Structure formats: structure tokens, C-alpha cells
Amino acid sequence: MEHGARLSTSRVLAIGFICMGVFVLLSLVSNIIQGVNNYRLQNEQKVAVTPMLFNAPFAVSRNQSDASYMQQLALSFIALRLNVTPETVDASHAVLLAFIKPAAQNELKVKLAEEAKRIKANNVNSAFYQTSVKVYPASNRVDIRGELKTWIGDSQPYSEIKHYVLELQREDGISWLARFGEVKDETR
């Protein structure tokens, strides 16, 4: 009888340890799943946002944005840089610089200051009319083509076809303008 009771007690303890091990394993798995879900909720949650001067909401997450948002943001940046007069150029360029990472502002700040100086000295007014917009969300790039009309003083407008590339970055819930460049098209 004594021998049977010891065997039964060892069996109960073994089953108890196995059950506790299974519960620990299930707890570990559920904590890992919960951690992954919390990370995804924190960094990939979509939020409805309306960019400046537009009425349509767009979905963005902490580190991503949809194509519509990128298009409207790029059109806003184009308007800030190209739709200027001698009176509005400084304010427009200051708003544009606010969307560029502080570490990358120096190069564009110099270029915008030179443009503002020429615009004020020559009494230049300009307006950009986009003809096509292509958004590449995978590479965070927006290509915009259109006609830039420029008036110098009281002269007739000078028109030229332009092609701009804007690269956008979305980091920690903030949209940044990474690049604002002009592309020289060979097939005009």
C-alpha cells in the first residue's frame, strides 16, 4: 500500500508540474501576441487627417500615409513654393521650411532665400497649374507636371512646362518634405 501511495503522489506532482508548464507556456505565448498587437496598434493605427487648405480627409498612420494624402500634401507644397508674389514669398517659404526636417533645412533655406530675393527685386508673380500628378506610395514620391506662368513686372506672362519631384517621409506621426526637385525632361 505504501508503495502505491508514493507512486500516486509522484504521478499527481508530475501532472501538476506538466499543467503548470503548459499554463506558463500559454501565458508566454499570449504575452508575445499581446506585445505584437500593442506595437501594431501604436505604430500602424490609421487616423483621418485633413491637410492644409483641403476638405477631404485621408488615412494616415504613425509611419505611413495613403496616396491621396501624399498627393494633396505635395500640391500644397507646390502652391507654397510656386504660387508667389513679392508680398507673399517670405511667408510662403517660411511655411514650406516648417515641413522640412531641421537638419536638412540649410540647403533649401539658401535656395529659397535666393528665389525670394530675385522675386522681390524683379517684381515677379508666378502661378503653377498642374496638368498631371502621379503618386508612388511605395517610394513616397510624387511627380507633378504642369505649366508655370511667370509675370515680371507688368509684362505678359511667360509660360513653361515644368516637372517636379517631391519625396515625402512620415516619421513618428509627422509628415516631412525630404526633397523638392525639378526634373529636366528631354522629351518636350
Side-chain angles (χ1 to χ4, degrees):
M1 220 29 157
E2 191 176 313
H3 178 60
R6 264 192 217 158
L7 189 57
S8 178
T9 304
S10 298
R11 223 181 260 163
V12 169
L13 285 175
I15 290 173
F17 281 122
I18 289 172
C19 288
M20 297 242 323
V22 168
F23 285 131
V24 168
L25 185 65
L26 286 174
S27 174
L28 181 64
V29 168
S30 68
N31 283 335
I32 290 172
I33 290 171
Q34 189 68 13
V36 169
N37 285 339
N38 284 341
Y39 176 80
R40 288 179 57 204
L41 281 174
Q42 191 175 28
N43 293 317
E44 297 175 15
Q45 181 179 7
K46 297 288 182 182
V47 177
V49 176
T50 304
M52 58 186 163
L53 304 177
F54 293 94
N55 296 328
F58 305 103
V60 296
S61 70
R62 188 167 174 86
N63 295 318
Q64 294 177 334
S65 56
D66 68 359
S68 299
Y69 177 77
M70 290 175 61
Q71 176 181 343
Q72 297 303 320
L73 198 59
L75 290 174
S76 295
F77 292 148
I78 286 281
L80 285 171
R81 183 161 182 196
L82 300 176
N83 295 341
V84 293
T85 66
E87 294 81 21
T88 63
V89 67
D90 288 330
S92 293
H93 287 178
V95 172
L96 183 63
L97 281 172
F99 286 94
I100 297 170
K101 285 186 178 180
Q105 282 186 0
N106 291 337
E107 180 182 338
L108 190 60
K109 189 182 273 188
V110 171
K111 189 183 291 186
L112 291 177
E114 290 172 0
E115 283 180 14
K117 186 177 177 183
R118 283 195 311 265
I119 288 169
K120 290 177 188 175
N122 297 321
N123 192 25
V124 175
N125 295 303
S126 67
F128 183 77
Y129 303 98
Q130 79 265 4
T131 55
S132 73
V133 178
K134 291 184 181 175
V135 181
Y136 303 97
S139 60
N140 294 323
R141 192 180 91 219
V142 181
D143 288 356
I144 300 176
R145 294 176 191 265
E147 180 181 10
L148 180 64
K149 287 193 176 194
T150 307
W151 293 264
I152 300 174
D154 293 331
S155 68
Q156 291 295 319
Y158 171 73
S159 296
E160 59 183 323
I161 303 299
K162 295 284 192 172
H163 177 193
Y164 293 98
V165 174
L166 284 80
E167 291 180 5
L168 307 171
Q169 291 179 345
R170 183 129 179 106
E171 293 177 1
D172 298 327
I174 300 172
S175 296
W176 296 105
L177 177 60
R179 179 174 169 242
F180 192 125
E182 183 178 349
V183 177
K184 300 292 184 190
D185 289 334
E186 302 274 332
T187 59
R188 280 195 217 168

